[in-house]
Amino acid sequence: MDISGLEIVLFHSDNSDYLTEWNGTRLNDDYHRLYFIAGGSAEVTYDGHHCQLAEGRTYLFPTTRRFDYSCPSHLRLLNVCFKMTVQGGIDVLDLYPWSFEIQAQSASETFRSMTMIDENLTSEFFADQILVRSRILSLLSPHFRTRAKHRDLKRQRDVRRMAPVLRHIADNLRTGVKISELHLLAGMSRSHFVRKFQATFDVSPQDYVRKKRITLVKNELHSSDLPLSILAEDLGFSSSSHMSREFKHYTGYSPKKFRALDKIYG
């Protein structure tokens, strides 16, 4: 798979000591988490998978529908929340085999890298942003030292064929995507395209576009304080109420509630 279109979008970082107050639930977070446990321990359940987080290890979480977390006594946590995609917005964790848990080869070096990421994540200097991304990639690399199986290679071929469609969707989310014309970009009949798209991404082309638009709303809610009416207009929704209905349908939160939780969590 060609990774020339690799993109990393950064959201949050953390470098904190916690007691039992590290406890809660997050719903429908469309980003990855990289955790390094520098001290103590924690428990996490994501989409039904329960895991114990131990000192000296890094953990890579996929996007989640539900993320429950708790600390039994104390925890020193360094983490970064980000989204890594290729081929016009395809989640890397959906394409390549990866490991959830890795023993840090050097706890001190991992600690320094995670600290540097936290200190420079919001820097306005381009040099710092390059450094942050290089450190993230270095920390992520050991999680992907897994040989691809036949099903992984088949999915990569299927996604490659859909790449022109995905790029078109990514480039036109704000201005509008004509679902009825997407099959032409894939070089397929309309019925075959819909079946192939559904089989490849486990979602219809219509729902894929709608979910991508909601992700765009999430990013704007995170990065700006613009009124919802302005965001709705800028993102191509017919009204703020239309945007709010769509947003709550896919996330479980209203945009206002999501923005408030996002500020707390960030």
Side-chain angles (χ1 to χ4, degrees):
M1 173 66 69
D2 179 15
I3 64 169
S4 58
L6 180 68
E7 181 179 5
I8 299 179
V9 179
L10 307 173
F11 295 101
H12 311 296
S13 63
D14 185 26
N15 180 357
S16 301
D17 289 292
Y18 294 101
L19 298 175
T20 55
E21 77 276 4
W22 196 76
N23 187 311
T25 298
R26 294 279 298 177
L27 299 176
N28 294 294
D29 284 330
D30 189 38
Y31 50 69
H32 309 127
R33 296 173 170 91
L34 180 66
Y35 279 12
F36 174 60
I37 310 302
S41 63
E43 297 182 10
V44 166
T45 301
Y46 68 96
D47 295 343
H49 304 286
H50 183 75
C51 46
Q52 301 277 347
L53 309 187
E55 184 175 342
R57 294 178 175 271
T58 63
Y59 298 88
L60 176 60
F61 293 92
T63 61
T64 55
R65 294 183 300 276
R66 183 183 177 99
F67 187 86
D68 299 293
Y69 55 97
S70 63
C71 171
S73 58
H74 73 280
L75 173 68
R76 180 65 188 277
L77 173 67
L78 294 94
N79 80 73
V80 58
C81 298
F82 63 100
K83 188 66 180 288
M84 184 165 59
T85 60
V86 292
Q87 299 294 319
I90 297 301
D91 190 332
V92 168
L93 273 62
D94 286 340
L95 278 183
Y96 297 97
W98 54 280
S99 299
F100 167 69
E101 178 182 2
I102 294 292
Q103 175 68 49
Q105 293 183 346
S106 170
S108 59
E109 181 59 34
T110 301
F111 184 87
R112 282 193 293 271
S113 292
M114 292 293 288
T115 300
M116 190 284 299
I117 291 170
D118 182 60
E119 291 174 346
N120 293 279
L121 189 72
T122 59
S123 172
E124 63 182 13
F125 294 107
F126 185 60
D128 291 335
Q129 292 303 312
I130 292 175
L131 186 58
V132 164
R133 283 161 175 77
S134 69
R135 291 297 179 93
I136 291 175
L137 291 173
S138 178
L139 291 167
L140 288 173
S141 178
H143 286 271
F144 288 90
R145 297 190 186 281
T146 302
R147 185 177 297 277
K149 298 180 180 179
H150 174 73
R151 65 175 180 270
D152 301 313
L153 298 175
K154 181 180 182 303
R155 176 168 171 76
Q156 290 170 15
R157 290 194 297 269
D158 291 341
V159 170
R160 186 182 298 114
R161 187 170 183 185
M162 292 290 180
V165 176
L166 303 179
R167 284 194 292 269
H168 176 80
I169 292 172
D171 292 342
N172 293 277
L173 276 177
R174 291 177 180 268
T175 57
V177 176
K178 293 183 178 180
I179 304 296
S180 61
E181 298 179 358
L182 294 179
H183 69 98
L184 300 174
L185 296 170
M188 304 177 187
S189 69
R190 186 171 181 178
S191 59
H192 179 60
F193 166 74
V194 172
R195 290 195 300 270
K196 191 68 174 178
F197 195 98
Q198 179 82 41
T200 302
F201 303 111
D202 198 29
V203 66
S204 70
Q206 292 91 334
D207 279 342
Y208 180 90
V209 172
R210 292 170 75 184
K211 288 181 178 181
K212 285 297 179 182
R213 292 183 76 199
I214 295 304
T215 298
L216 198 60
V217 176
K218 283 184 176 183
N219 294 344
E220 292 293 336
L221 290 171
H222 169 72
S223 62
S224 79
D225 293 316
L226 289 174
L228 297 183
S229 58
I230 301 299
L231 284 182
E233 182 179 356
D234 288 348
L235 299 178
F237 290 90
S238 59
S239 65
S240 60
S241 60
H242 175 213
M243 183 181 75
S244 296
R245 286 195 304 272
E246 288 279 294
F247 193 87
K248 189 168 186 178
H249 174 75
Y250 281 103
T251 69
Y253 299 110
S254 69
K256 183 178 180 180
K257 181 66 172 179
F258 177 87
R259 178 175 265 168
L261 289 173
D262 187 65
K263 291 184 182 300
I264 294 172
Y265 191 75

